[in-house]
Amino acid sequence: MLTKRQNLMETIKGGNPDRFVNQYEFMEIILELPSKLMADPGTEIKNDWGITFRWPEGQLGQFPVHDEEHKVLKDITEWRKYVKAPVINNSDEAWAAAVAHANSVDRKEQFVTAFVAPGIFEMCHHLMSMEDALMALYEEPEAMHELIDYLTEYELNYAKILIDRLHPDALFHHDDWGSQKSSFISPAMFEEFYLPAYKKVYGFYKQNGVELIVHHSDSYAANLVPFMIEMGIDIWQGVMTTNNTPELIKNYGKQIAFMGDIDSGVVDFPSWTPEIVAREVERACKNCGKLYFIPNLTQGLNFSSFPGVYEAASEAIDKMSKKMF
């Protein structure tokens, strides 16, 4: 029997896996980071960039607050006045828990995985709101290029510390690039503004010992897949059914693998049932096949919004492995 790591590599390289890769099993994600990324349900936090996140009671997650009082970047043409990159805490104490976690992992079995969120596109709209960010790409492209360069430089500085501290085998990087049915910006605009930034960031990780780049975007982004390949992504995690995953596998499978095709919104809701989960898992596995595909809830970490859904999906995937391998 192959290890989880070996089975992953056989799957994404078009080799001979002996079962489906079961969701996130191949990654041991190191989340003990020096700065707090998320508010707790029913609370709000202000992060190191000055961005306020609020998680309303009864909702599935947090989002930045963009009223006039809380918006960080009020004028893109004066972004240097408003946007100040935080100092990255590189003390032994701040990184002790993450280092201990990384050191505890059997790297023959799993990839020690660094976690980075939010991504560069998300940072743009977190700082100023989605509407302002999208309009700025059209109205003030020079200023947006400068801001993106500034955010990219911060990411590279953070990457140096992550690599030095954790020596990760893989990177799990978030940046949502679309809605359920379209990308937020055109492929041409994405190529101009964000492709160069990600080629720098992902290229740096690859040049410094990171074997696997897993990018999360639980959205439509089929029109951006050629750029994902160009920037060095090995696995697109979060691929929704609206992307026509089997067609993507057919067209691009030898260059990039696809992880998802079990839409969280379809299976992960208050009145979910194991039968619904099993149906969606079976559909995904049969439609997408055994190579270049990892069945997975589209959610961006190894849990579900409602208790039991993630575990039910894992059980159903194991059953499909027994049927199809």
Side-chain angles (χ1 to χ4, degrees), residues 74-180:
K74 302 179 191 302
D75 182 348
I76 183 59
T77 65
E78 296 188 275
W79 69 267
R80 289 182 180 84
K81 171 183 171 183
Y82 295 104
V83 180
K84 306 295 180 185
V87 175
I88 302 167
N89 189 339
N90 194 22
S91 69
D92 291 345
E93 181 181 8
W95 287 89
V99 170
H101 188 174
N103 289 343
S104 73
V105 179
D106 179 356
R107 292 177 187 250
K108 293 180 181 178
E109 184 70 23
Q110 292 175 295
F111 292 84
V112 171
T113 305
F115 179 77
V116 174
I120 296 168
F121 175 75
E122 289 173 333
M123 276 297 299
C124 290
H125 69 78
H126 286 186
L127 286 164
M128 65 178 109
S129 84
M130 180 67 83
E131 296 87 347
D132 287 359
L134 294 179
M135 288 189 293
L137 291 167
Y138 285 99
E139 296 177 345
E140 299 292 345
E142 290 185 12
M144 282 298 284
H145 275 298
E146 292 169 358
L147 176 61
I148 290 167
D149 287 346
Y150 185 76
L151 297 173
T152 302
E153 192 60 33
Y154 176 83
E155 270 231 23
L156 289 169
N157 290 334
Y158 187 63
K160 292 171 188 173
I161 294 172
L162 266 180
I163 290 165
D164 182 58
R165 290 286 183 177
L166 305 181
H167 308 290
D169 309 302
L171 170 69
F172 186 40
H173 195 293
H174 277 219
D175 207 10
D176 288 334
W177 290 336
S179 68
Q180 292 188 46

Side-chain angles (χ1 to χ4, degrees), residues 40 63 65 115 213 257 319:
D40 296 315
F63 207 73
V65 182
F115 179 77
I213 303 291
K319 289 178 181 177

Side-chain angles (χ1 to χ4, degrees), residues 119-121 148 152 155-156 171 173-177 185-207 210-217 221 223-237 255-256:
I120 296 168
F121 175 75
I148 290 167
T152 302
E155 270 231 23
L156 289 169
L171 170 69
H173 195 293
H174 277 219
D175 207 10
D176 288 334
W177 290 336
I185 58 178
S186 70
M189 187 169 275
F190 186 90
E191 181 179 22
E192 177 186 346
F193 286 93
Y194 293 100
L195 177 61
Y198 272 104
K199 287 175 76 170
K200 289 179 184 176
V201 171
Y202 289 162
F204 181 82
Y205 279 101
K206 285 284 182 80
Q207 291 158 17
V210 174
E211 183 178 349
L212 198 66
I213 303 291
V214 184
H215 183 98
H216 164 83
S217 181
N223 57 344
L224 304 180
V225 169
F227 302 132
M228 296 185 196
I229 294 166
E230 186 175 345
M231 68 179 66
I233 293 172
D234 298 291
I235 301 170
W236 169 17
Q237 189 280 326
Q255 298 167 280
I256 187 172

